[in-house]
């Protein structure tokens, strides 16, 4: 395109149904990516795994760049905003993939979805936002759900279970940052620079850890990379069409995906306490996302 700022939004539009569909598709793809990574990361170095996965992530990224007008579509207009979104993808990627080495897929993803509960509690402390008595009550119930999943007094507890909770807070912050950034940057540019940051970070952190990968591992990382690439794009694009408050509840379909894939691939059978905690976390998150006082 000949415009000075090509593909910079068609400003944010109010198309909630399209936003919801994008969110559902993106969530399914991201969860499949997590499952494929879990199959690989328990045996191979973290940096190498993320780097190779990142190479496959570039395939849908380059295709989308081509469809959106070429390299002009990834022209950067807000360097600080792009850097923030990139950082808020790199850190969660590393922390979450590391946690997958040690946790069941379902447990890890259930804990990630405690994000709204943690974000509400932190907003009162760090941002001095007003949190009414009703919401504090729901936050307390949400924490109880996390405790049921983590079971800190049991032999099953591991401090690594706290990593997905930290990831959840970072993901929530990224969603907010993206919602602000899409008024100045194209969806594909946000996706491109964030993905590039993940790949370069993986390359820098994988020094001396390279080993030959079998063909089946390349295949798994290919599925993971393609799913992650298109999944992140759909999640990012969803925020172009609807508000975070509307879309966030549909992310909880990831719990269903995770429990199903965990059972089919690894035979994971969450305990009743874990399932009960998951229901409490999801219910608390949905209430908080409605913005009730």
């Amino acid at each position: 395109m000949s415009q000075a700022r090509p593909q910079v939004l068609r400003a944010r539009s109010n198309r909630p149904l399209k936003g919801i569909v994008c969110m559902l598709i993106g969530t399914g793809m991201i969860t499949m990516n997590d499952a494929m990574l879990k199959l690989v990361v328990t045996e191979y170095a973290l940096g190498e795994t993320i780097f190779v996965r990142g190479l496959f992530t570039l395939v849908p990224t380059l295709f989308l760049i081509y469809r959106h007008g070429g390299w002009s579509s990834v022209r950067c207009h807000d360097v600080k905003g792009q850097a923030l979104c990139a950082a808020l993808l790199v850190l969660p990627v590393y922390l979450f993939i590391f946690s997958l080495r040690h946790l069941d897929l379902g447990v890890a993803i259930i804990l990630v979805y405690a994000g709204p509960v943690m974000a509400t509690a932190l907003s009162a402390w760090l941002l001095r936002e007003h949190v009414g008595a009703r919401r504090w009550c729901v936050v307390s119930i949400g924490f109880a759900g996390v405790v049921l999943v983590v079971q800190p007094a049991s032999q099953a507890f591991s401090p690594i279970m706290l990593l997905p909770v930290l990831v959840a807070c970072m993901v929530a912050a990224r969603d907010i940052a993206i919602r602000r950034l899409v008024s100045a940057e194209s969806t594909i540019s946000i996706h491109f620079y964030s993905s590039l940051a993940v790949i370069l970070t993986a390359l820098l952190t994988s020094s001396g850890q390279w080993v030959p990968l079998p063909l089946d591992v390349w295949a798994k990382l290919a599925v993971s990379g393609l799913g992650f690439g298109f999944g992140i794009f759909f999640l990012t694009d969803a925020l172009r069409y609807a508000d975070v408050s509307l879309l966030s509840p549909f992310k909880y379909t990831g719990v269903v995906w995770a429990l199903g894939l965990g059972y089919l691939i690894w035979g994971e059978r969450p305990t009743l306490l874990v399932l009960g905690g998951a229901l409490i976390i999801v219910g608390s998150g949905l209430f908080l996302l409605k913005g009730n006082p």
Side-chain angles (χ1 to χ4, degrees), residues 58-256:
L58 285 179
V59 174
T61 302
L62 294 175
F63 171 72
L64 291 167
I65 289 174
Y66 169 76
R67 285 194 58 190
H68 285 74
W71 291 109
S72 61
S73 66
V74 296
R75 186 177 300 165
C76 181
H77 305 285
D78 185 345
V79 176
K80 290 183 179 179
Q82 290 278 16
L84 176 61
C85 284
L88 289 173
L89 181 64
V90 171
L91 291 174
V93 163
Y94 267 80
L95 292 176
F96 185 70
I97 295 177
F98 177 78
S99 71
L100 286 177
R101 279 182 170 175
H102 308 279
L103 302 177
D104 286 353
L105 180 67
V107 169
I109 290 183
I110 287 169
L111 291 173
V112 165
Y113 285 111
V117 175
M118 302 301 170
T120 301
L122 290 174
S123 68
W125 178 41
L126 297 177
L127 303 178
R128 305 295 182 183
E129 292 183 357
H130 173 71
V131 178
R134 183 182 299 181
R135 296 180 73 195
W136 273 122
C137 181
V138 176
V139 167
S140 300
I141 294 172
F143 273 115
V146 172
V147 171
L148 284 177
V149 176
V150 172
Q151 300 176 47
S154 73
Q155 293 182 344
F157 171 73
S158 168
I160 293 175
M161 288 182 171
L162 301 179
L163 291 182
V165 178
L166 178 59
V167 169
C169 295
M170 293 182 180
V171 170
R174 177 176 163 82
D175 285 347
I176 294 171
I178 288 174
R179 186 59 179 167
R180 294 175 178 175
L181 189 60
V182 291
S183 61
E185 301 284 347
S186 67
T187 299
I188 189 60
S189 72
I190 297 171
H191 174 51
F192 172 71
Y193 290 115
S194 294
S195 298
L196 188 61
V198 172
I199 294 171
L200 293 177
T201 303
L203 181 61
L204 292 173
T205 58
S206 61
S207 176
Q209 300 178 2
W210 294 92
V211 297
L213 300 178
L215 185 60
D216 66 308
V217 172
W218 280 94
K220 291 169 185 173
L221 291 175
V223 172
S224 175
L226 293 173
F228 185 79
F230 281 116
I232 287 292
F233 178 82
F234 277 110
L235 293 181
T236 303
D237 217 33
L239 297 166
R240 185 180 303 278
Y241 302 111
D243 291 330
V244 173
S245 59
L246 172 67
L247 295 174
S248 294
F250 293 94
K251 283 188 177 181
Y252 286 105
T253 56
V255 173
V256 179

